[in-house]
Amino acid sequence: MQNDIKIILDSIKQSSIKIKQLIEEGDTSKSTNQNSTGDTQLKLDIASDVIIENDFKTLDIVKQCVSEEQESIVDINPNGKYLIAYDPLDGSSLVDVNLSVGSIYGIYTDDFKGSNIIASVYVVFGPRVEMVVAFDGEVKMYRLLKGEFQFVQNIKLNQKGKLNAPGSTQQCWLPHHKEMIDDIFASGYRLRYSGGMVPDLHQILLKGGGLFSYPSTTDLPKGKLRQLFEVFPFAFIYETAGGGAIDGKQRLLEIPTTHIHDTTPCFFGSNDEIDLVKEVYSKNG
Ligand code: FBP
């Protein structure tokens, strides 16, 4: 399997170098299309998706793909072993204001569900391009230097951190969630939230810990972030890095997926912060 993951990683590296160029030179305007969750697609979203899908299509070991930007599962090779769900350019609307964005990949076997994820990858396009890979019990970070991704470090979360990244529309927070976030700030945590899931979660991982939350809200009871290609890949990374990832009560990687574009409330963080979320949410139904 090690070799198979390397083959997939090589494809992701190749796609990422092309996407980097697209971000720097491409058309950031809106297309006339919407994706399956109703988001208006940017031309960057569609172009990034085409790059990734075409690169995966050259791999015999890939059976199917799911993309945020496509309604249905894409069949690649009936004899393939791996199923890959990806968000080609998460937070793409931030490119227009020159903030960091990223690609997210979940690699599954047998079926698209959290308990079948065996590896995950994200690539953050910021002042530097960095790729983080969770596989076989380790989280490794690579940096694009002179056209090559070079290993930089392993990533481990501390027991407790200092950063708090509270997502979603605050006026739609449920009372117990608002009280919990206020208490976290009152205990001295620093606000670190850009609206880009990839850089926001990357920062918490690299700065040793904290909490990222995108909860159930009155306007989005099932949350906003998509299970297969946003939530589960980061859940796998945070757990592999020694932290936790829950929906408020249970492990995210245990929740059922009924549709490939399902969303879920999600919390990612160091263990002390995840324990706090469990305590608050267990008391509030
Ligand atoms: P995409 O819709 O671009 O896939 O990304 C969703 C996202 O931008 C995440 O990157 C981010 O964490 C979240 O939405 C921010 O949502 P909000 O602005 O409601 O906090």
Side-chain angles (χ1 to χ4, degrees):
M1 187 181 286
Q2 291 265 3
N3 189 49
D4 287 348
I5 298 302
K6 183 184 179 314
I7 290 169
I8 294 171
L9 284 182
D10 287 345
S11 181
I12 291 173
K13 290 174 186 176
Q14 179 183 311
S15 302
S16 301
I17 290 169
K18 288 181 256 186
I19 292 171
K20 174 180 182 293
Q21 192 169 4
L22 199 62
I23 291 169
E24 288 164 359
E25 301 161 11
D27 180 350
T28 61
S29 63
K30 288 184 169 50
S31 76
T32 53
N33 313 338
Q34 282 194 335
N35 67 17
S36 44
T37 29
D39 306 329
T40 300
Q41 291 174 306
L42 301 186
K43 288 174 184 167
L44 273 185
D45 291 321
I46 297 168
S48 305
D49 183 47
V50 167
I51 286 170
I52 294 169
E53 183 183 324
N54 287 343
D55 285 342
F56 281 153
K57 275 182 173 167
T58 66
L59 307 183
D60 295 342
I61 57 174
V62 177
K63 182 175 183 181
Q64 293 179 317
C65 286
V66 160
S67 166
E68 176 179 298
E69 305 310 332
Q70 298 192 47
E71 175 63 35
S72 318
I73 293 177
V74 176
D75 291 318
I76 304 284
N77 177 338
N79 303 315
K81 184 177 171 190
Y82 301 97
L83 314 173
I84 304 177
Y86 64 88
D87 182 350
L89 202 59
D90 182 87
S92 54
S93 56
L94 297 170
V95 170
D96 256 352
V97 292
N98 203 23
L99 286 178
S100 298
V101 293
S103 306
I104 312 165
Y105 305 80
I107 300 163
Y108 301 80
T109 54
D110 303 319
D111 201 354
F112 281 114
K113 64 181 182 179
S115 55
N116 286 3
I117 194 166
I118 54 121
S120 62
V121 184
Y122 66 82
V123 179
V124 50
F125 300 96
R128 301 184 291 195
V129 177
E130 293 176 341
M131 177 176 75
V132 171
V133 182
F135 175 63
D136 203 16
E138 292 188 297
V139 180
K140 293 180 177 293
M141 184 175 96
Y142 304 81
R143 184 173 296 142
L144 185 60
L145 294 165
K146 298 187 175 64
E148 297 287 329
F149 280 90
Q150 297 183 15
F151 175 71
V152 175
Q153 66 177 77
N154 277 49
I155 297 178
K156 284 300 280 180
L157 282 163
N158 298 330
Q159 181 65 20
K160 183 179 185 317
K162 302 186 184 71
L163 305 183
N164 189 16
S168 81
T169 307
Q170 298 196 17
Q171 73 178 132
C172 299
W173 285 352
L174 301 180
H176 63 276
H177 182 79
K178 175 164 175 39
E179 186 180 344
M180 180 184 78
I181 297 296
D182 291 344
D183 289 350
I184 291 172
F185 281 128
S187 70
Y189 280 66
R190 312 294 294 271
L191 170 63
R192 291 293 182 272
Y193 192 77
S194 73
M197 181 181 196
V198 174
D200 289 342
L201 284 160
H202 188 56
Q203 178 169 200
I204 290 172
L205 280 170
L206 289 184
K207 296 280 177 76
L211 179 68
F212 175 101
S213 51
Y214 205 106
S216 169
T217 54
T218 53
D219 63 335
L220 294 170
K222 291 189 177 176
K224 171 183 183 183
L225 300 177
R226 275 65 54 139
Q227 290 179 7
L228 288 177
F229 39 78
E230 290 171 333
V231 174
F232 293 162
F234 272 107
F236 188 74
I237 288 167
Y238 266 65
E239 288 190 350
T240 307
I246 60 173
D247 66 354
K249 295 195 174 72
Q250 65 177 335
R251 286 179 68 230
L252 285 163
L253 294 179
E254 288 169 354
I255 68 172
T257 297
T258 52
H259 185 277
I260 58 171
H261 292 282
D262 277 350
T263 62
T264 175
C266 53
F267 301 82
F268 308 91
S270 322
N271 288 321
D272 281 9
E273 289 86 342
I274 293 297
D275 288 348
L276 171 64
V277 173
K278 282 179 187 168
E279 184 190 334
V280 168
Y281 272 73
S282 63
K283 290 176 193 159
N284 290 277

